[in-house]
């Protein structure tokens, strides 16, 4: 898994570095690159490659789509760290973008990473039909905006220090984190025209994203900043609405394990083709950062 993940991370970064190189030179390129390199684990990219291999999509195409997703993810992290959001000074083991460049520059670099994702997906070098490019852009927009990441972030902030139902917490976490994972699972289906599987993989993506977020919350509770590369133990201090807060630690771990089994059940009809996807699901549960 580690070997495969680091190859995907390198290939995604190489694509992005090349894409940045071809951009007109502006003052925002440097903070944009700061937010993107060396970058994070690239778990979303791995998911795209894993689902793509079930539907026989070419690796190069998958890496291009992964690069667009990592730009949106990078954007959301830069904005998430801002003082008006989660106010974090540390990200991926270094100063968060606004600490390094100031708030205004961090906001604009984040916005530019969002729009560059659309530039990547609409690029002529992405060997996908125009119809499918529009479908990809439509889907990633829905997953990133008020019905996805941004809407989930709004709920996350508005739930702070409130008693919130388990259902509402799950729905917030699915929007904040699950929707981008959902796009990762749908994109290979869109480009391979296997649309009869779209709904199933939309759901599986949301479930994997929820699983990822639950593990993230458990890491926040149990891990150190050194190990996690970001400040930990902050959900409790900020009064964040998490499943751990609503269910307690032990029940959250049980829920995580049940959710994982449910995801595995949902993909079992694809048989041995899901080997790499299963490996990623196990990695998500076992990860320490
Ligand atoms: C509209 C895209 C957009 C964003 C604006 C700030 C914001 C609204 C949303 C924040 C969403 C957010 C930060 C969700 C948390 C998801 C999460 C657990 C991130 C950590 O992901 P990892 O561990 O990070 O994959 P690395 O560093 O490995 O890439």
């Amino acid at each position: 898994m580690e070997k495969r993940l680091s190859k995907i991370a390198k290939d995604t970064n190489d694509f992005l570095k090349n894409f940045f190189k071809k951009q007109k030179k502006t003052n925002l390129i440097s903070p944009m690159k700061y937010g993107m390199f060396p970058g994070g684990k690239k778990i979303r990219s791995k998911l795209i490659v894993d689902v793509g291999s079930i539907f026989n999509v070419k690796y190069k195409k998958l890496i291009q789509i992964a690069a667009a997703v990592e730009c949106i993810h990078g954007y959301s992290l830069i904005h998430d760290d801002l003082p008006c959001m989660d106010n974090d000074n540390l990200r991926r083991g270094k100063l968060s973008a606004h600490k390094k460049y100031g708030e205004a520059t961090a906001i604009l670099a984040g916005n530019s990473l969002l729009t560059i994702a659309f530039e990547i997906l609409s690029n002529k070098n992405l060997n996908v039909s125009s119809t499918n490019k529009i479908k990809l852009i439509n889907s990633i927009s829905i997953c990133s905006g008020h019905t996805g990441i941004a809407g989930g972030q709004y709920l996350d902030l508005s739930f702070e220090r409130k008693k919130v139902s388990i259902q509402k917490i799950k729905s917030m976490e699915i929007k904040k984190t699950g929707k981008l994972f959902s796009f990762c699972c749908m994109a290979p289906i869109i480009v391979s025209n296997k649309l009869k599987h779209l709904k199933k993989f939309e759901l599986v993506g949301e479930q994997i994203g929820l699983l990822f977020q639950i593990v993230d919350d458990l890491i926040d509770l149990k891990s150190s900043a050194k190990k996690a590369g970001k400040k930990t133990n902050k959900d409790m201090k900020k009064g964040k609405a998490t499943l751990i807060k609503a269910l307690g630690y032990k029940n959250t771990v049980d829920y995580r394990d049940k959710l994982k089994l449910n995801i595995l059940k949902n993909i079992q009809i694809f048989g041995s083709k899901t080997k790499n996807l299963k490996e990623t699901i196990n990695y998500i549960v076992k990860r320490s950062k």
Side-chain angles (χ1 to χ4, degrees):
M1 165 81 189
E2 296 288 347
K3 226 169 140 188
R4 252 191 296 274
L5 184 58
S6 69
K7 176 174 166 40
I8 292 166
K10 184 182 179 312
D11 292 339
T12 309
N13 272 352
D14 285 351
F15 174 88
L16 282 167
K17 281 178 189 158
N18 207 24
F19 202 85
F20 279 124
K21 218 183 265 171
K22 290 186 194 145
Q23 293 282 310
K24 278 192 185 145
K25 304 288 164 273
T26 69
N27 296 331
L28 287 173
I29 286 280
S30 180
M32 286 162 78
K33 282 184 172 169
Y34 182 82
M36 293 304 295
F37 307 120
K41 299 178 285 296
K42 302 284 191 295
I43 202 75
R44 293 159 189 78
S45 298
K46 169 87 165 61
L47 204 51
I48 293 174
V49 171
D50 293 343
V51 177
S53 73
I54 300 176
F55 295 98
N56 305 315
V57 182
K58 288 228 160 64
Y59 181 75
K60 189 178 163 202
K61 219 180 271 185
L62 297 168
I63 291 296
Q64 282 172 264
I65 298 169
V69 167
E70 294 295 343
C71 286
I72 292 191
H73 173 53
Y75 157 49
S76 77
L77 297 182
I78 292 176
H79 282 201
D80 188 49
D81 292 336
L82 289 167
C84 60
M85 302 247 180
D86 277 358
N87 194 18
D88 280 316
N89 298 341
L90 194 64
R91 170 69 66 181
R92 292 172 170 165
K94 58 183 189 178
L95 283 181
S96 44
H98 69 278
K99 278 282 152 193
K100 172 94 177 159
Y101 291 97
E103 276 179 55
T105 304
I107 290 170
L108 296 169
N111 291 347
S112 306
L113 286 174
L114 172 68
T115 56
I116 221 168
F118 303 127
E119 212 178 309
I120 292 170
L121 292 178
S122 57
N123 195 273
K124 63 173 177 355
N125 292 331
L126 177 62
N127 189 14
V128 165
S129 70
S130 298
T131 309
N132 283 344
K133 279 182 187 170
I134 292 170
K135 282 187 190 160
L136 286 176
I137 294 167
N138 181 264
S139 175
I140 207 169
S141 305
I142 291 168
C143 292
S144 304
H146 69 107
T147 51
I149 311 173
Q153 177 77 349
Y154 174 85
L155 293 174
D156 178 87
L157 295 169
S158 65
F159 287 170
E160 279 180 11
R161 307 198 187 286
K162 292 201 181 107
K163 193 169 161 42
V164 183
S165 73
I166 291 166
Q167 213 37 53
K168 280 191 174 155
I169 295 172
K170 279 187 205 163
S171 160
M172 173 272 285
E173 297 201 331
I174 286 172
K175 282 187 177 173
K176 184 178 79 158
T177 309
K179 285 291 176 181
L180 196 57
F181 279 80
S182 190
F183 175 78
C184 295
C185 290
M186 288 192 286
I189 290 162
I190 292 171
V191 299
S192 60
N193 295 310
K194 306 268 169 56
L195 294 181
K196 70 171 184 187
H197 300 297
L198 197 66
K199 276 270 155 245
K200 164 147 273 180
F201 276 83
E202 181 180 14
L203 172 71
V204 164
E206 287 181 5
Q207 290 180 316
I208 296 175
L210 179 61
L211 185 71
F212 185 90
Q213 186 59 55
I214 291 169
V215 174
D216 214 65
D217 295 344
L218 291 167
I219 290 171
D220 179 79
L221 187 75
K222 294 278 177 191
S223 186
S224 67
K226 199 166 173 220
K227 225 171 157 191
K230 58 185 176 184
K231 224 196 285 168
T232 52
N233 216 348
K234 56 192 172 73
D235 289 347
M236 202 87 91
K237 281 186 202 142
K238 286 182 179 157
K240 287 281 184 198
T242 63
L243 284 180
I244 306 172
K245 192 176 165 192
L247 292 171
Y249 180 79
K250 167 88 176 60
N251 288 339
T252 304
V253 170
D254 289 348
Y255 180 76
R256 175 199 70 187
D257 295 342
K258 263 193 223 135
L259 181 60
K260 181 187 137 179
L261 288 178
N262 196 256
I263 297 167
L264 295 177
K265 215 169 104 197
N266 277 336
I267 58 171
Q268 80 185 5
I269 53 159
F270 296 94
S272 61
K273 282 191 156 238
T274 59
K275 185 173 165 276
N276 291 342
L277 181 56
K278 279 187 192 155
E279 170 192 77
T280 303
I281 293 163
N282 284 322
Y283 172 88
I284 285 174
V285 173
K286 296 229 165 73
R287 77 199 171 96
S288 57
K289 63 178 203 170

